[in-house]
Amino acid sequence: MEARKVIKELDPYVPGRSEDEIANEFNVKKEDIVKLGSNENPWGPSKKAVEAIKKEADGVNRYPETDLHLLVDELASYAGVKSENVIVTGDGADELIDVLAKTFIEPGDEFITPLPTYTYYEFLFKPYGAVPVYAKWDLKNNALDVQSVLDAISDKTKFIFLCSPNNPTGTLVSEGDLRTIIEATDALVIIDEAYFEFSEQTQVNLINEYDNVFIIRTMSKVMGLAGLRIGYGLSNPDVIQYMYRIKPVFSLTRLSYVASLATLRDKEYIKESTAKSIESRDYLYQEVSKFKNLHVLESKSNFMLIDLHDSGYTAAELTNRLMSKGMIVRDCTSFKGIDEYYIRISVASLDDDKRFIEALHTLVD
């Protein structure tokens, strides 16, 4: 059977490499691998979340509860909004993006995405007939090119995606720039705050001022639940209620539900996880900045982008050399709007950070 034309033409999403892949390909012991490629929380989940999962394990023969009000209330409190402003999904932020498309996209609608950015926006929207229009991030100045976004707006624009901090550049979009864009259009402006905890900044106040703002968040990063895939969105009640009409009823599993509640209630874990991530990021930025042939972009996230143009390596070459030493980093060649000379590294423990820097010194000046 032939797939639809749009699916056959869709560029596949390229995920980061796993520890098992690297161990097998490069004959490296799995326990010696340092993983800096997937923007994960290297310190693990909340112990309270693990205990909650163990207690709930005997109930996985039952369907999940459909009444998520306890979790919605906790998320609303964490975000500083009302419960009516919250939607929870069970496949991370990716399900939010998919539900947005299923709820609002008509074939031929346009969506704006500045490049380079998280590629899954396009991957999920195009199958519904949405047409991408590209704006840009200014890599030289490490900032959003606001005018390129404004120039891309047309009467067909339905969504504008702004990742802040942006993946892979780590750049924040200022509140002033967001307001300029929001006020220039009736399109729904999607502010992806998957990494907002690391920046210690949020634009959640904008959902109370504008009807055309939607904020994406996830529990995969600072909250250490990437393996359970929990996302949540914040917007005005009308948008939220339309999305609930189409969202799969049982997309949030029983284990995800109890782990989410336990993590949100473990305030000390969230505080400590955030602090450790920022400490690691700042250390990595400081050390990579000392390399004369590398240029690292300052980041407000738990990762940073490194320019290799003067290093003598392409991203693929340096990535492979590092992986042979047990260091997993992200080759960013698959990101649209970027060439083959950028890698991304994410935070690890300070001990692993030091091992990475030592390995890098053996390859680059």
Side-chain angles (χ1 to χ4, degrees):
M1 180 179 291
E2 285 287 319
R4 289 188 295 135
K5 183 174 182 289
V6 67
I7 303 302
K8 293 170 70 174
E9 295 175 351
L10 192 65
D11 293 330
Y13 179 72
V14 180
R17 301 290 298 275
S18 71
E19 292 174 331
D20 287 332
E21 288 179 277
I22 303 310
N24 292 332
E25 183 174 343
F26 294 95
N27 196 28
V28 178
K29 293 181 180 179
K30 188 173 179 180
E31 58 267 25
D32 292 336
I33 291 174
V34 176
K35 194 174 184 186
L36 302 101
S38 298
N39 303 346
E40 296 162 330
N41 184 327
W43 296 282
S46 161
K47 292 180 180 178
K48 294 180 180 179
V50 174
E51 286 303 313
I53 290 170
K54 290 177 179 178
K55 290 179 181 178
E56 186 64 26
D58 288 339
V60 295
N61 59 308
R62 303 295 184 186
Y63 282 108
E65 299 294 334
T66 57
D67 184 359
L68 304 177
H69 75 273
L70 287 178
L71 179 55
V72 168
D73 289 348
E74 286 286 349
L75 287 167
S77 176
Y78 179 73
V81 299
K82 296 179 180 178
S83 296
E84 64 189 16
N85 299 121
V86 180
I87 183 170
V88 187
T89 51
D91 187 18
D94 296 342
E95 187 181 350
L96 282 173
I97 300 165
D98 187 63
V99 172
L100 280 165
K102 287 192 289 189
T103 305
F104 296 107
I105 285 294
E106 300 285 356
D109 285 342
E110 295 178 352
F111 64 98
I112 297 170
T113 178
L115 300 179
T117 196
Y118 184 49
T119 57
Y120 231 62
Y121 307 140
E122 185 172 344
F123 185 81
L124 290 172
F125 262 49
K126 286 179 72 174
Y128 295 100
V131 179
V133 178
Y134 303 119
K136 63 182 180 180
W137 292 88
D138 180 350
L139 289 177
K140 182 177 180 181
N141 296 303
N142 199 18
L144 175 68
D145 184 336
V146 178
Q147 191 58 50
S148 74
V149 177
L150 298 176
D151 291 343
I153 295 172
S154 75
D155 57 2
K156 293 183 178 181
T157 305
K158 185 66 75 72
F159 289 90
I160 300 174
F161 285 97
L162 299 171
C163 190
S164 183
N166 184 48
N167 180 13
T169 65
T171 314
L172 280 169
V173 185
S174 71
E175 182 175 328
D177 287 345
L178 285 169
R179 288 182 183 274
T180 296
I181 295 167
I182 293 164
E183 292 172 4
T185 181
D186 292 328
L188 194 62
V189 178
I190 312 296
I191 306 171
D192 188 341
E193 289 193 342
Y195 302 94
F196 88 96
E197 284 98 344
F198 309 111
S199 72
E200 301 178 288
Q201 295 184 45
T202 175
Q203 303 298 339
V204 71
N205 60 297
L206 296 178
I207 70 170
N208 296 319
E209 297 184 45
Y210 301 100
D211 290 334
N212 62 327
V213 173
F214 187 96
I215 292 179
I216 290 175
R217 295 217 183 142
T218 179
M219 298 188 73
S220 295
K221 309 304 178 186
V222 78
M223 296 192 193
L225 296 177
L228 290 180
R229 313 297 298 125
I230 305 133
Y232 64 104
L234 311 171
S235 191
N236 70 74
D238 289 340
V239 168
I240 297 298
Q241 287 307 310
Y242 281 130
M243 291 176 69
Y244 267 123
R245 293 185 186 183
I246 196 68
K247 187 189 83 70
V249 175
F250 295 124
S251 70
L252 194 75
T253 69
R254 299 182 72 94
L255 302 185
S256 299
Y257 179 74
V258 296
S260 300
L261 277 174
T263 302
L264 286 163
R265 291 166 177 170
D266 192 350
K267 309 298 184 187
E268 190 58 34
Y269 166 80
I270 297 172
K271 180 180 177 181
E272 184 177 345
S273 180
T274 304
K276 285 181 177 179
S277 298
I278 292 173
E279 181 185 25
S280 173
R281 177 193 69 201
D282 291 348
Y283 172 82
L284 286 169
Y285 178 77
Q286 177 184 355
E287 293 303 311
V288 177
S289 295
K290 295 176 181 177
F291 286 77
K292 65 180 181 180
N293 292 328
L294 299 176
H295 173 62
V296 57
L297 278 65
E298 189 171 3
S299 173
K300 292 294 184 181
S301 190
N302 69 336
F303 57 81
M304 62 200 69
L305 189 67
I306 302 175
D307 181 340
L308 307 181
H309 280 88
D310 297 327
S311 71
Y313 294 99
T314 64
E317 290 167 347
L318 184 58
T319 296
N320 275 311
R321 293 291 296 274
L322 285 167
M323 287 192 295
S324 71
K325 296 176 179 292
M327 304 290 149
I328 303 179
V329 301
R330 180 63 186 266
D331 174 355
C332 290
T333 306
S334 63
F335 283 81
K336 285 186 176 179
I338 206 168
D339 64 23
E340 67 271 27
Y341 293 96
Y342 290 89
I343 63 170
R344 190 192 66 199
I345 60 172
S346 52
V347 300
S349 69
L350 286 178
D351 286 342
D352 283 346
D353 290 343
K354 291 173 183 176
R355 288 181 58 200
F356 166 72
I357 295 298
E358 289 171 3
L360 194 60
H361 270 296
T362 68
L363 300 171
V364 185
D365 292 331

